[in-house]
């Protein structure tokens, strides 16, 4: 058995996958009544607010069942998209970067998140104009980060983030997703799930940056499910995408399926609804 294989097996016994860190907390924010006024590029109809609240609550319970203590922020109706807290910060075990969101309507969302994160991490770094970064474009893969350049994250922002991550001791690669698969963010089409594995949609599967990884291919028709979230020894997956769930279970991941229909209508996935650290 290779050293890496041995380490992976030991980590699995401890409930950990290779390269993953133990997460203990998550910031979440309930959707506000005007949630349906947020940005969206998908044409799936208006979200049902009461159903979104129930789906959000089930999501929060799932995070708790993964061992996370929740920091619950009140809904903020100044920002209809503010339930998608992931976009506001990049939180690593070596430092935090407060983003500068790419959609003008979301610009003020970072303030309360900054106030919260300052309680947990002393110094916070920031992305500065003209740079923009949405957290949904940033995929941590152990000590390496993939940073998407998208309609939301520009080159200036991606460059600033790469330099900050380097100062924390992490490497990164930039991936231009404009024109790849019509996805909003990089993580709309991929996820790192520990053990040198990536879940990827077809449009991202031939990128040279991903060639060192074992790729879990998402079946066509299940693209939305690529945004799954690995937390400690469990995996959150969107309900209604049985092929990916089965693939993950075959790899011994313990999958928790969550209804996400109302967030999907607003271009949001599982990862977007929390900041995990
Ligand atoms: C937006 O367009 O900004 C929100 N409606 C959805 C953000 C989803 N966030 C994410 O994928 N990280």
């Amino acid at each position: 058995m290779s050293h890496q294989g041995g380490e992976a097996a030991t980590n699995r016994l401890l409930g950990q996958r290779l390269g993953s860190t133990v997460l203990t907390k998550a910031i979440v924010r309930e959707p506000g009544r005007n949630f349906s006024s947020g940005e969206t590029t998908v044409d799936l109809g208006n979200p049902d607010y009461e159903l979104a609240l129930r789906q959000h609550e089930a999501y929060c319970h799932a995070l708790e069942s993964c061992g996370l203590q929740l920091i619950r922020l009140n809904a903020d109706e100044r920002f209809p998209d503010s339930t998608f807290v992931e976009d506001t910060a990049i939180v690593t075990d070596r430092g935090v970067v407060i983003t500068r969101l790419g959609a003008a309507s979301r610009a003020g969302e970072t303030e309360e998140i900054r106030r919260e994160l300052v309680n947990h991490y002393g110094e916070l770094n920031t992305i500065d104009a003209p740079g923009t970064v949405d957290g949904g474009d940033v995929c941590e893969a152990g000590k390496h980060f993939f940073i998407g350049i998208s309609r939301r994250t520009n080159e200036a922002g991606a460059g600033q983030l790469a330099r900050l991550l380097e100062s924390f001791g992490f490497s990164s690669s930039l991936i231009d997703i404009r024109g790849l698969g019509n996805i909003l963010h990089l993580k709309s089409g991929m996820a790192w799930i520990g053990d040198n594995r990536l879940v990827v949609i077809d449009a991202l599967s031939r990128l040279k940056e991903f060639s060192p990884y074992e790729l879990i291919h998402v079946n066509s028709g299940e693209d939305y499910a690529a945004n799954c979230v690995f937390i400690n020894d469990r995996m959150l997956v969107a309900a209604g995408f049985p092929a990916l769930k089965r693939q993950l279970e075959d790899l011994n991941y313990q999958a928790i399926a969550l209804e996400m229909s109302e967030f999907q209508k607003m271009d949001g996935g599982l990862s977007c609804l929390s900041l995990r650290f």
Side-chain angles (χ1 to χ4, degrees), residues 3-42:
H3 169 69
Q4 207 185 42
E7 194 179 336
T10 311
N11 281 351
R12 206 160 302 129
L13 279 177
L14 295 171
Q16 285 299 298
R17 300 260 172 185
L18 192 66
S20 65
T21 47
V22 178
L23 300 169
T24 59
K25 295 188 178 63
I27 297 176
V28 290
R29 187 195 287 284
E30 197 175 85
R33 287 194 174 276
N34 60 353
F35 168 59
S36 63
S37 314
E39 310 277 339
T40 189
T41 60
V42 295

Side-chain angles (χ1 to χ4, degrees), residues 35 38-41 80-82 84-87 101 103 105-106 109 134-137 152 184-188 227 263 265-273:
F35 168 59
E39 310 277 339
T40 189
T41 60
D81 275 319
S82 55
F84 300 115
V85 288
E86 173 183 64
D87 291 319
L101 288 150
S105 64
R106 303 193 59 187
E109 287 182 27
D134 275 15
D137 278 315
R152 298 292 179 80
L184 176 65
H185 290 125
L186 177 64
K187 281 192 295 191
S188 312
N227 181 262
F263 297 99
K265 290 174 183 171
M266 299 310 296
D267 247 343
L270 286 163
S271 71
C272 330
L273 290 178

Side-chain angles (χ1 to χ4, degrees), residues 182-248:
N182 197 27
I183 45 177
L184 176 65
H185 290 125
L186 177 64
K187 281 192 295 191
S188 312
M190 68 167 296
W192 176 68
I193 59 172
D195 283 359
N196 207 44
R197 287 191 179 120
L198 301 177
V199 172
V200 285
I201 59 169
D202 194 48
L204 301 181
S205 64
R206 282 169 290 280
L207 290 171
K208 67 175 185 330
E209 290 84 351
F210 295 168
S211 59
Y213 293 83
E214 178 190 345
L215 300 186
I216 314 302
H217 296 270
V218 177
N219 285 5
S220 73
E222 292 208 353
D223 280 8
Y224 178 74
N227 181 262
C228 51
V229 188
F230 180 59
I231 303 175
N232 298 332
D233 60 342
R234 303 200 178 170
M235 180 76 78
L236 306 187
V237 292
F241 303 96
L244 181 64
K245 183 165 183 275
R246 203 163 36 244
Q247 279 173 280
L248 294 170

Side-chain angles (χ1 to χ4, degrees), residues 35-36 44-56 84 224 259-268:
F35 168 59
S36 63
L44 293 171
N46 258 348
D48 174 326
Y49 172 61
E50 297 299 331
L51 182 53
L53 283 184
R54 289 199 294 280
Q55 292 181 348
H56 192 264
F84 300 115
Y224 178 74
E259 297 292 343
M260 286 291 290
S261 59
E262 306 317 290
F263 297 99
Q264 185 178 8
K265 290 174 183 171
M266 299 310 296
D267 247 343

